[in-house]
Amino acid sequence: DVIDDFDCNRNATYAGDLDSLSVILNPAPSVDNNSPRVGRYADVAGNGTEYAALVIDYENAINLSVRNQFSLKLWAPKAGNLLLKIEGGVGNKEVAVPVTEINKWVEYSVDFSDQVDKGHKKLVIFFNAGQNGAPGDVYYIDDIKLKASAVVPPLEDFQGGVHLGWQPLDQNNPLHGNFSAPTANTTPNTVNSSTEVGCYSKGASPFSTLQAFAPAAFDLSTLSQFNLDVLSPAGGGTVTFQLSSATQGNKEAVATITTPGAWETLSFDFSAFDAITDFQEIRLIFNAGTAAAGQSWCIDNLRQVATSVNPCLGVVAIPQIIDDFECQRNHTSIFYGAADLKVVNNPNQTNNPSLKVGEYKDPAGAGTGYEGIGYEFAAAPDLSLYNQLQVQVYAPFDNVPVLFKIQGNGANIERRDTLPEKNKWYTFSIDFSGAVGTAGNQLVLFINEASATGGGTYYVDNIRWRRAGYNGCIGDNETQTTTVGNFTYFNNGTYDGQTLQVVANPLPATINTSSKVLKYVQAGNAGIFSGAFAQLDANIDFKSVKTIKTKVLMDHIGKFTMKVEVFGNAFPPVEITLDNTKVNEWEELTFNFATVADNATYDRLTVLVDITSVGAGSDVTTYFDDIVIGAGACTTVGVFTPGNVQQLRISPNPASEYIRVENFEDVARLEVFNVYGQRISTINTANDTRTEIGISQLPAGVYTINGFSKQGVLVGNAKFVKQ
């Protein structure tokens, strides 16, 4: 907004009586203007000086589409007229503003909104216009601005006609429907009582699109949000608002209907794209992806406003994310390099779709080889499961060395890697599994490590901890880290798009006495091949034991399917279907994925119940629990099978250095598991009846020991606590 504040925002190019203008300390600071510096203008004295002026020359046409309120603060020594003028285009406009308050700071403003697209190039200021200047006539000015009006007229209100070029996309009516405007508002309410609106009926395409063209590009630098009144059909849904740029493509924001069948105002925030200057086309998609030919939507009162949407409202913090520079800024205690880091719009979304990223400016000069970004945590991170550090970096040079370091409280753990290619987002995955139990509570990224000169602008994003892979017990639904909480229904009628619920175990008995399980409901109107998928945040890692186990509770004899896949099918999906054999009783199913290639990477797990059936008119509920990938178990295997498993005796317990295990007849092998069901060690006992196991290297926690016979049958188990 600022043309010149005579401090840090000096954006004006002056002409006219420039010699009369100088910068001085504010001679009269007050609550009306406490700026450190202001402009001093000595009005030209003598006959014929009644229209001496200060001219701000833009050289090119001034964009008044949004910023069209010309204002300044003035300290005047005498009463008179302040004449503000815009010129250089089609016609000129000048506005005389009476100056009645003298020897004090007063803000004056004029409206040039009616001069849009007239090509004006200059703003002119006349002090005491129409009167010859006199010796000693000194005026002080400050905060010269061209800003947006507090109230901006709607871009489109359909009153008396259509102001933007609205049409079905590419005028393809069969695919993209029909638009009619202005048409009568048949359901006015307090949100929209307009008499005339625009109404659209969808075409055959699931992505049926309404298109509009503006006479000039939208200026998002000040007003980066679009508000639109929408009248939805009874079913409601979503509205996707796209802005189309010839150079940057389509950018979109999505809003959800909250009052189906009634007018409501939806807001679409484009502040992340405010640097794009060639948005001139709008596209609206109603219930994107849903085929509903003829479905009617009405719109009205499209306006451009300052951003009011909080994009992070309701976002739940994910503790494994350190900083994504958007809504997951969970550790913002930056003890090192904070002055060199700021949040900016993503300069390149090709390999990273984030809207906001961190911009890091590496200090230049000798001795700057170990500048960086340092995060400090309240406590050392728990690396027992999430121990793979992921960081995305965008660099201006090839082959940039990066040092990743955990430090603090005596820790000094370093890992190094190199970013190979410039001007492209690169994802580092740094293995800190060897640092389990560290006391270090600081993480530092040294970008361009050991550089002799430093310098350069880098971008960082999505700093987070990930697990090495999904193995062992990945879902017992008892804790946050052992719950796959994002299983999402697909092709499942009423429940389509919803997530599975974690509920109380309806039958805590026999092989599953856990308190919580997953509830799967096949809707009465489910389509064929309905199911639920979970997008995992790491790859499935069978660790050579290519099985998946889960416990199921079904009220009928049917089928249960496990499927591993990856988006884009880089590796072919593999699915295994098994019949259950028990009704209203927990049983464990083991799915053999022996055909999965050793190098296959899958990050999506899908379950289907009664895979080829459709909804039978009423909902059918199935429960499942204790998902185990590869070896391991979620609970002590077989502990509820009387007579088969003996209790191993462990001493001391708790322990810190070693444990002694006794009372295990017929045990040929001991296996130690952590709370996630991951096997962390195997001890061959040679059929001894006692043995000692060193545990000093283990993180503090609860562990399970299982004893197996030569035939691999579980014959003993126990738990111990590592202090």
Side-chain angles (χ1 to χ4, degrees), residues 250-396:
N250 293 339
K251 307 300 180 183
E252 68 178 40
V254 180
T256 301
I257 295 293
T258 59
T259 57
W263 284 103
E264 64 180 291
T265 300
L266 301 182
S267 297
F268 304 90
D269 178 18
F270 287 91
S271 58
F273 312 109
D274 58 9
I276 299 177
T277 59
D278 63 344
F279 286 130
Q280 201 167 345
E281 178 188 344
I282 295 172
R283 296 183 179 187
L284 298 177
I285 307 173
F286 303 94
N287 279 341
T290 302
Q295 188 182 70
S296 179
W297 295 71
C298 295
I299 59 173
D300 199 14
N301 298 323
L302 173 66
R303 57 264 194 208
Q304 198 174 346
V305 300
T307 301
S308 63
V309 174
N310 178 4
C312 299
L313 187 66
V315 173
V316 178
I318 300 173
Q320 289 77 38
I321 298 178
I322 298 170
D323 199 346
D324 72 351
F325 301 95
E326 293 180 282
C327 298
Q328 295 286 349
R329 306 211 68 195
N330 302 323
H331 298 283
T332 55
S333 178
I334 302 175
F335 75 95
Y336 189 55
D340 304 316
L341 181 69
K342 66 178 181 179
V343 178
V344 300
N345 290 335
N346 186 350
N348 189 325
Q349 292 182 286
T350 302
N351 296 321
N352 177 12
S354 296
L355 301 180
K356 300 287 185 179
V357 299
E359 179 189 75
Y360 171 69
K361 291 193 174 181
D362 189 24
T368 59
Y370 285 90
E371 302 294 332
I373 307 168
Y375 290 88
E376 186 168 68
F377 312 123
D382 180 1
L383 302 178
S384 58
L385 180 61
Y386 292 92
N387 49 43
Q388 307 296 302
L389 179 68
Q390 178 179 292
V391 184
Q392 290 184 283
V393 181
Y394 184 98

Side-chain angles (χ1 to χ4, degrees), residues 540-660:
I540 291 172
D541 185 359
F542 288 107
K543 292 188 182 298
S544 76
V545 181
K546 296 180 181 178
T547 62
I548 298 179
K549 295 182 291 187
T550 192
K551 295 168 185 173
V552 301
L553 176 64
M554 302 175 68
D555 64 358
H556 64 286
I557 295 296
K559 297 181 182 298
F560 197 97
T561 301
M562 278 284 184
K563 181 179 182 180
V564 295
E565 53 190 331
V566 61
F567 182 77
N569 288 342
F571 295 91
V574 179
E575 65 180 45
I576 309 296
T577 299
L578 297 177
D579 296 325
N580 67 312
T581 62
K582 298 179 180 180
V583 175
N584 295 325
E585 183 179 345
W586 283 105
E587 66 177 307
E588 186 172 63
L589 303 179
T590 300
F591 302 84
N592 187 349
F593 284 89
T595 60
V596 169
D598 290 341
N599 65 337
T601 55
Y602 296 101
D603 61 3
R604 179 177 288 187
L605 183 64
T606 299
V607 299
L608 304 95
V609 177
D610 298 331
I611 183 170
T612 58
S613 70
V614 297
S618 59
D619 293 352
V620 177
T621 299
T622 295
Y623 302 92
F624 66 103
D625 194 23
D626 293 352
I627 304 172
V628 178
I629 293 176
C634 288
T635 57
T636 305
V637 178
V639 71
F640 304 108
T641 305
N644 289 345
V645 180
Q646 59 182 311
Q647 183 71 29
L648 303 178
R649 188 164 55 247
I650 295 179
S651 61
N653 191 6
S656 58
E657 298 296 328
Y658 72 93
I659 57 173
R660 180 181 297 108

